[in-house]
């Protein structure tokens, strides 16, 4: 039986619901030898900022139980290098490219959106208001509903691309931020970014990461992420992109059944560079095995299950 | 070209004090690998521990299609790997990274390894001997037993050893041993690997002697292929350096360009 895996996110048509999570595959090129990028729904590339950023001092990564703590600090060559060098190189991969942006001020987000407006090779913008590893901006915008709305509105004023807003789990109630982003014109929401965390190096009696604290990802955070998707699905009428510890198609199905129209594979890429492609293939196989004609039938299906009442 | 491969374990032996020598059937890796490159190894099969472990390629047998890794059991990942037996398969990604590139003009090469830093230097020594260069190997360890992790007797090289406790060879650091021997052997190129502290002292000694060469760096690593930008080191000149990726831009860098913390 032929199954339909295509989904639509903020007007963007994707051949399947599987993306890469920003920051886990660089600009995608490093992964091309291991992963057929054209088999993905979209490639979400590493966050860019207005100016180049050196990133945080090492160590930048620590292994935690079934997870990873990282504090890269948005190292990137800046938007000008992205536009001039990187985006033209990505055209050959024949995959929609979603550009993640972050600023230290509302004005920087607006200027990034303006600089990227109309640039060929971009399918959508993902507004990163949830990076826990930078001193200014980043998560500060993702933890206050008014500031989140201000950033999203500023980006919307300067772009014609679909705008996806990436939410932080480091808040009291993620629905308030989701509602604020939706009210300001977001076309879709990505959730979740990493959870703030920390590891102490007991031998050296000091924080292990150069940045002291970092962002936790991987299978350890999956239940947290699934619940966030579940909650936001009930509160906001926008397409959701679910992520947090997806290693397999079965993990992706949890997010889809909780209400995600698309999913992103992140930390799994660090372990298995072919992971995102395997998740996409696994979803199609599941539909065939279960006799489900269209993956959209599964979006939020758990909410309609008997006994599946509110949270 | 690197690959994700499930390689059969041909042998897996305890060597030195707490090290293991792991021989894998990996013809593609054996053909492609250069000295100084590494394999990114999945130690277990589950989500915990999650990340791969970067292990130096210790030796290669192209004819037999074998690749030898040398590692120390330091944590849960390497302990899981150490429990794997001959006949089982291990998932590896590689060969990865930029290896050693001794310029052809340099004919008198000193290889300096501290602790597990000796691992990539056997493969390098083998290649240098093939190219008919003169090779001195300086192997430093804490004790005589730890020196047993690597066996250079199979190669026509001059081996000098140092131990911290004086139980074999020169009593003291391997850099001290190198400093004493350099005047006599007059090397024209150096390759080294080992702990940060040792490499920092060695590179300042190399600067004093105006001696070129390369060092292999280590840092906590994520993907191993340059995507996650976690394994950063400082490359350039003091006051004018950039973060580079140990996995993809290294692990081998020109000694003069490493800016130590």
């Amino acid at each position: 039986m032929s199954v339909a895996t295509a989904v639509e996110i903020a007007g963007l048509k994707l051949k399947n619901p599987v993306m890469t999570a920003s920051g886990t595959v660089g600009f995608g090129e490093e992964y091309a030898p291991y992963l057929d990028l054209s088999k993905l729904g979209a490639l979400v590339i590493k966050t860019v900022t207005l100016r180049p950023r050196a990133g945080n001092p090492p160590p930048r990564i620590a292994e935690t139980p079934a997870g990873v703590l990282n504090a890269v600090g948005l190292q990137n060559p800046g938007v000008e290098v992205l536009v001039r060098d990187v985006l033209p190189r990505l055209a050959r991969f024949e995959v929609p490219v979603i550009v993640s942006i972050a600023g230290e001020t509302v004005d920087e987000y607006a200027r990034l959106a303006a600089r990227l407006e109309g640039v060929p090779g971009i399918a959508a913008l993902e507004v990163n208001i949830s990076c826990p590893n930078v001193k200014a901006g980043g998560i500060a915008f993702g933890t206050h509903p008014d500031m989140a709305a201000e950033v999203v509105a500023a980006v919307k004023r300067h772009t014609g691309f679909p705008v996806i807003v990436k939410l932080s789990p480091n808040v009291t109630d993620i629905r308030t931020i989701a509602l604020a982003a939706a009210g300001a014109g977001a076309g879709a929401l990505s959730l979740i970014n990493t959870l703030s965390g920390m590891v102490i190096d007991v031998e050296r009696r000091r924080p292990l990461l150069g940045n002291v604290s970092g962002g936790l990802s991987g299978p350890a955070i999956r239940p947290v992420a699934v619940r966030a998707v579940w909650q936001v699905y009930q509160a906001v009428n926008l397409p959701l992109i679910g992520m947090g510890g997806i290693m397999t198609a079965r993990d992706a199905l949890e997010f889809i059944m909780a209400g995600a129209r698309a999913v992103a594979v992140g930390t799994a890429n660090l372990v298995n560079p072919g992971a995102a492609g395997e998740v996409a293939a696994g979803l199609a196989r599941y539909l065939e095995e279960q006799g489900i004609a269209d993956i959209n039938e599964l979006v939020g299906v758990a909410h309609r299950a008997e006994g599946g009442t509110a949270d | 070209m690197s690959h994700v491969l499930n390689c059969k374990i041909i042998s897996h032996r305890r060597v030195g004090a707490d090290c293991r020598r792991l021989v894998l059937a990996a013809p593609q890796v054996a053909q492609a690998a250069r000295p100084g490159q590494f394999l990114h190894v999945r130690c277990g099969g589950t989500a915990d521990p999650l990340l791969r472990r970067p292990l130096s390629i210790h030796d290669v047998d192209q004819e037999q299609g074998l690749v030898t890794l040398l590692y120390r059991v330091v944590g849960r990942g390497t302990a899981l790997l150490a429990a794997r037996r001959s006949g089982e398969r291990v998932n590896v990604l590689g060969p990865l990274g930029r290896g050693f590139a001794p310029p052809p003009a340099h004919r008198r090469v000193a290889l300096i390894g501290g602790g597990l830093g000796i691992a990539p230097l056997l493969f390098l020594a083998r290649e240098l001997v093939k190219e008919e260069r003169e090779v001195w190997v300086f192997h430093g360890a804490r004790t005589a037993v730890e020196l047993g992790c690597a066996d250079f007797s199979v190669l026509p090289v001059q081996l000098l050893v140092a131990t911290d406790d004086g139980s074999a060879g020169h009593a003291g650091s391997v850099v001290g041993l190198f400093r004493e021997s350099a005047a006599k052997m007059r090397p024209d190129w150096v390759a080294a690997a080992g702990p940060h502290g040792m490499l920092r002292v060695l590179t300042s000694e190399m600067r004093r002697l105006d001696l070129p060469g390369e060092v292999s760096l280590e840092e906590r690593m994520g993907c191993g292929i340059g995507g996650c930008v976690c394994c950063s080191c400082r490359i350039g000149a003091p006051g004018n350096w950039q973060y580079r990726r140990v996995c993809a831009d290294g692990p081998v860098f020109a000694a003069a360009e490493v800016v130590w913390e």
Side-chain angles (χ1 to χ4, degrees):
Chain A
M1 125 182 215
S2 84
V3 293
T5 57
V7 296
E8 191 171 322
I9 298 282
L12 185 63
K13 286 188 175 59
L14 308 176
K15 70 176 66 145
N16 67 57
V18 181
M19 310 180 178
T20 53
S22 179
T24 60
V25 298
F27 293 128
E29 296 167 288
E30 289 87 351
Y31 275 71
Y34 314 96
L35 174 65
D36 183 348
L37 297 169
S38 73
K39 297 269 167 65
L40 300 181
L43 173 70
V44 186
I45 58 176
K46 187 163 176 50
T47 296
V48 290
T49 51
L50 214 47
R51 287 171 297 279
R53 279 184 69 93
N56 290 327
R60 292 176 170 184
I61 187 167
E63 195 174 55
T64 59
V68 165
L69 193 71
N70 92 82
V72 172
L74 300 183
Q75 175 178 336
N76 80 92
V79 70
E80 292 306 325
V81 170
L82 178 85
V83 170
R84 191 189 66 215
D85 300 340
V86 180
L87 287 173
R89 290 203 305 264
L90 297 186
R92 69 192 154 105
F93 296 123
E94 295 177 348
V95 60
V97 174
I98 297 176
V99 176
S100 170
I101 58 172
E104 294 185 6
T105 62
V106 174
D107 181 58
E108 281 192 8
Y109 280 98
R111 286 163 65 193
L112 277 161
R115 179 64 188 90
L116 294 168
E117 179 54 8
V119 170
I122 298 176
L125 300 183
E126 182 176 83
V127 184
N128 181 357
I129 55 169
S130 43
C131 177
N133 297 329
V134 293
K135 284 195 180 67
I139 200 167
F141 296 109
T143 50
H144 298 96
D146 296 345
M147 290 174 76
E150 206 182 323
V151 169
V152 175
V155 170
K156 282 293 288 181
R157 275 196 297 277
H158 292 89
T159 189
F161 291 124
V163 172
I164 301 162
V165 178
K166 187 159 181 178
L167 304 180
S168 171
N170 303 307
V171 293
T172 308
D173 186 344
I174 195 168
R175 289 169 295 195
T176 61
I177 313 293
L179 284 164
L189 303 174
S190 280
L191 62 164
I192 57 175
N193 208 321
T194 55
L195 284 156
S196 284
M198 189 169 169
V199 171
I200 301 287
D201 182 336
V202 170
E203 278 71 39
R204 296 196 169 100
R205 302 181 183 180
R206 56 194 264 189
L208 192 149
L209 293 179
N211 188 53
V212 179
S213 67
L216 183 64
S217 64
I221 73 162
R222 192 189 311 134
V224 177
V226 170
R227 177 177 182 261
V229 168
W230 174 273
Q231 285 187 302
V232 172
Y233 180 80
Q234 291 178 331
V236 180
N237 187 24
L238 279 181
L240 306 181
I241 305 164
M243 67 201 71
I246 295 175
M247 305 295 285
T248 64
R250 191 179 180 81
D251 300 340
L253 284 163
E254 279 201 57
F255 284 87
I256 292 167
M257 291 175 183
R261 189 160 298 276
V263 294
V265 176
T267 301
N269 301 315
L270 274 59
V271 183
N272 171 13
E278 290 169 20
V279 170
L283 287 178
R285 205 159 50 239
Y286 176 83
L287 296 180
E288 285 165 21
E289 285 167 6
Q290 298 290 317
I292 297 164
D294 187 333
I295 196 160
N296 289 286
E297 292 172 32
L298 290 176
V299 177
V301 74
H303 292 269
R304 302 187 285 277
E306 213 171 321
T309 50
D311 92 301
Chain B
M1 182 67 201
S2 66
H3 306 267
V4 180
L5 300 163
N6 283 308
C7 301
K8 197 175 190 178
I9 300 177
I10 300 303
S11 80
H12 200 175
R13 288 197 304 117
R14 188 187 190 111
V15 289
D18 48 6
C19 295
R20 299 289 187 281
R21 190 179 295 156
L22 173 60
V23 182
L24 299 172
Q28 287 154 292
V29 176
Q31 286 305 318
R34 299 294 310 145
Q37 289 190 300
F38 66 94
L39 292 185
H40 218 15
V41 179
R42 280 216 82 179
C43 295
T46 66
D48 191 39
L50 187 60
L51 295 173
R52 291 174 182 269
R53 299 292 186 269
L55 304 181
S56 284
I57 296 176
H58 181 49
D59 206 359
V60 157
D61 183 335
Q62 286 194 341
E63 274 176 37
Q64 305 278 328
L66 302 178
V67 173
T68 303
L69 304 176
L70 181 67
Y71 66 96
R72 175 174 284 150
V73 180
V74 289
R76 288 194 311 134
T78 42
L80 274 174
L81 182 60
R84 312 284 286 273
R85 304 272 173 249
S86 296
E88 290 182 44
R89 286 179 182 271
V90 176
N91 185 273
V92 306
L93 167 60
L96 298 175
R98 178 190 163 280
F100 291 102
H106 296 294
R107 308 307 301 174
R108 300 168 62 82
V109 179
L111 308 184
I112 305 168
L116 246 283
I118 201 68
L121 301 182
L122 181 70
F123 184 18
L124 177 58
R126 190 181 290 286
E127 295 294 306
L128 292 169
V129 164
K130 256 190 226 166
E131 295 162 3
E132 297 180 337
R133 306 201 214 196
E134 277 189 84
V135 178
W136 284 262
V137 176
F138 296 83
H139 184 183
R142 283 175 295 195
T143 65
V145 176
E146 289 189 9
L147 287 172
C149 68
D151 180 9
F152 283 85
S153 67
V154 293
L155 293 174
V157 299
Q158 299 221 38
L159 178 67
L160 295 90
V161 301
T163 51
D164 293 344
D165 68 353
S167 53
H170 171 85
S173 82
V174 71
V175 178
L177 175 62
F178 170 70
R179 189 183 291 124
E180 284 179 12
S181 316
K184 204 173 80 192
M185 70 163 281
R186 289 179 292 108
D188 57 14
W189 201 76
V190 172
H196 268 224
M198 169 208 144
L199 293 179
R200 192 176 58 231
V201 174
L202 175 66
T203 50
S204 73
E205 185 67 17
M206 288 166 66
R207 198 173 306 119
R208 193 180 67 81
L209 296 169
D210 196 21
L211 193 52
E214 294 177 327
V215 295
S216 180
L217 302 184
E218 284 184 17
E219 186 49 72
R220 285 172 185 268
M221 197 174 281
C223 66
I225 58 176
C228 72
V229 213
C230 286
C231 55
S232 294
C233 60
R234 307 197 301 184
I235 299 298
N240 182 27
W241 51 267
Q242 286 183 304
Y243 283 126
R244 296 279 183 218
R245 303 164 299 183
V246 169
C247 69
D249 301 314
V252 175
F253 293 94
E257 291 181 359
V258 178
V259 179
W260 302 97
E261 299 288 323

